[in-house]
Amino acid sequence: MIREDFNNLVRQHNRHLYGYAFRFLRNQEEAEDAVQEVFIKLWNLGNKLDEYNSIRALATTMVKNFCIDQLRKRKHLVQEENIQQDFLKTETPSPYELLERRESENILDHIIDQLPNIYKEVIELREIEGLSYEEIAVSTRQNINTLRVTLSRARKKIREEFNKYQYERRGIKEVDRKVL
């Protein structure tokens, strides 16, 4: 194939191939690169192009395959980036975070200890020991619905007391809390 024939081939199919590549890649520069790579491969085929019935079909298939490869690479890079981000997220907590977590656990333990016995018992059985409602009902000889209400009230009480602590810790006054 001579240079002039190849230039005519490029002019004839460039627009079609670019549009096809752009539909895959959704990026102008990547679509242009895909078309350029295909034209380089076609140039390297040289006189073998005469063996094909439709150069347009060949070029379109080559663009499609190139775009699929690019999308696979892109997907692989995104997955690799997500793995790296997951690794960073699972790093050991900072000393401040550990201290804060330990302090919150101590506060929660104190709040639970101060609860009325009925609340304290169901919270310990459900949240700490992980028993099911049915197991707790048998253990405490309560109706399951009564147990659910009791547990809900105990959680609410813990939440209220813990929030008081959080507000005090942040220096928020009682008046300001009601606004929040």
Side-chain angles (χ1 to χ4, degrees):
M1 173 179 281
I2 61 172
R3 182 109 165 122
E4 189 176 320
D5 291 341
F6 185 75
N7 288 341
N8 288 334
L9 177 78
V10 170
R11 273 188 239 108
Q12 188 178 8
H13 299 293
N14 187 36
R15 201 176 229 178
H16 164 74
L17 295 176
Y18 169 79
Y20 193 66
F22 187 81
R23 277 182 253 147
F24 274 101
L25 301 172
R26 302 283 183 214
N27 181 300
Q28 179 182 351
E29 292 171 359
E30 289 180 5
E32 290 171 355
D33 289 346
V35 172
Q36 183 176 1
E37 287 295 320
V38 167
F39 280 131
I40 290 170
K41 288 177 184 177
L42 290 173
W43 174 256
N44 290 333
L45 285 174
N47 291 332
K48 292 180 183 177
L49 284 177
D50 295 335
E51 297 172 11
Y52 293 94
N53 292 334
S54 172
I55 294 174
R56 180 181 178 125
L58 173 66
T60 303
T61 301
M62 292 170 78
V63 166
K64 179 182 85 170
N65 291 339
F66 184 85
C67 291
I68 289 171
D69 289 344
Q70 295 298 36
L71 292 172
R72 285 181 182 147
K73 286 178 187 175
R74 194 186 295 171
K75 182 179 177 183
H76 178 71
L77 290 175
V78 168
Q79 288 175 341
E80 196 172 285
E81 186 177 305
N82 288 341
I83 289 169
Q84 288 174 350
Q85 287 177 354
D86 289 346
F87 177 75
L88 293 175
K89 288 179 188 175
T90 60
E91 285 184 10
T92 310
S94 70
Y96 176 76
E97 291 169 332
L98 288 172
L99 178 66
E100 195 173 57
R101 187 180 303 157
R102 209 172 306 128
E103 189 176 314
S104 294
E105 288 171 359
N106 290 339
I107 296 296
L108 286 171
D109 287 343
H110 177 73
I111 292 170
I112 292 171
D113 285 342
Q114 300 301 314
L115 288 174
N117 284 339
I118 187 72
Y119 291 166
K120 183 177 173 180
E121 182 181 15
V122 294
I123 283 292
E124 287 177 351
L125 292 173
R126 178 70 180 162
E127 304 300 339
I128 297 170
E129 294 181 25
L131 298 180
S132 69
Y133 288 110
E134 292 77 17
E135 292 170 325
I136 298 170
V138 169
S139 173
T140 60
R141 294 187 179 105
Q142 288 186 29
N143 177 320
I144 289 184
N145 291 331
T146 305
L147 175 67
R148 288 178 192 268
V149 170
T150 303
L151 190 58
S152 174
R153 289 178 182 166
R155 287 176 177 154
K156 182 179 178 186
K157 182 77 171 157
I158 292 169
R159 192 171 29 254
E160 288 171 354
E161 292 299 316
F162 189 74
N163 284 340
K164 283 181 190 176
Y165 162 75
Q166 294 286 34
Y167 291 135
E168 289 171 10
R169 184 181 192 192
R170 293 183 184 124
I172 299 174
K173 298 176 184 172
E174 182 72 31
V175 176
D176 297 332
R177 266 192 302 179
K178 291 180 181 176
V179 173
L180 295 175

